[in-house]
Amino acid sequence: MNDITVRPMRRDDADTILAIYQAGLDSGDASLETQAPTWTEFDAGRLPEHRYVAVDDSGTALGWIAVSQVSTRRVYAGVVEHSVYVDPTQQGRGIARLLLTTLIAATEAAGIWTIQSGVFPENVASLALHTRAGFRVVGTRERVARQHGRWRDVVLLERRSPVII
């Protein structure tokens, strides 16, 4: 991991970020989505101050994490939903954990008190990652949507900051 650093996401990361996103979608256990958005759509749907990429010594993006606003209502200003994706050839190296740790620190510094996410129950690695990072299971949305002809459940996770009181 000494050769991996995390930095803010930049516009010139777009092609690699979207390719990593699509690879995750192609796995079938990352999202109900099946097609990565355009960069314009990606950019519009995520908060610019909480987007990070993990890069190797050459500057190649290996994974990314970003948050979206949960609601435009002011009472939910401190609640975000995150996504984290790692290049399939780089999985198992601790990159997602590094990205999530960075995101948690940055969102707490910004006064965000809750990070939430939805994960398929089949995505055991992601569930374990989130548990280790202090997320708890809130519940399961059963048969919430069909994907590739089968009903999918989604486990709802949240991490309530112990710092923001």
Side-chain angles (χ1 to χ4, degrees):
M1 288 293 289
N2 292 340
D3 62 331
I4 299 172
T5 57
V6 176
R7 64 162 171 76
M9 189 181 291
R10 301 186 304 236
R11 169 64 179 96
D12 62 341
D13 295 317
D15 291 342
T16 306
I17 296 306
L18 295 178
I20 291 169
Y21 195 1
Q22 187 61 55
L25 298 178
D26 291 345
S27 77
D29 283 332
S31 173
L32 288 165
E33 299 291 338
T34 57
Q35 184 66 46
T38 65
W39 179 256
T40 301
E41 293 165 335
F42 181 97
D43 188 46
R46 285 152 187 88
L47 299 177
E49 61 273 15
H50 298 295
R51 304 178 195 183
Y52 299 95
V53 276
V55 296
D56 63 15
D57 287 340
S58 72
T60 301
L62 308 174
W64 62 269
I65 195 165
V67 301
S68 301
Q69 192 174 21
V70 170
S71 174
T72 57
R73 294 175 57 197
R74 287 190 329 191
V75 296
Y76 294 111
V79 181
V80 295
E81 181 173 8
H82 87 287
S83 297
V84 58
Y85 285 80
V86 175
D87 181 318
T89 66
Q90 301 298 317
Q91 290 175 355
R93 296 183 60 199
I95 295 167
R97 175 132 178 125
L98 182 60
L99 287 163
L100 192 53
T101 300
T102 300
L103 179 71
I104 290 168
T107 54
E108 286 182 339
I112 292 172
W113 56 83
T114 299
I115 304 171
Q116 63 185 38
S117 189
V119 177
F120 290 134
E122 297 85 0
N123 195 339
V124 177
S126 185
L127 291 172
L129 165 73
H130 285 87
T131 299
R132 285 191 308 272
F135 284 73
R136 70 181 182 94
V137 173
V138 176
T140 300
R141 296 180 73 194
E142 295 178 2
R143 296 171 48 105
V144 71
R146 289 180 70 90
Q147 181 190 50
H148 306 298
R150 70 176 175 137
W151 287 104
R152 300 300 300 262
D153 295 347
V154 174
V155 178
L156 301 176
L157 302 161
E158 73 174 12
R159 182 186 184 277
R160 176 70 169 90
S161 171
V163 176
I164 312 292
I165 302 174

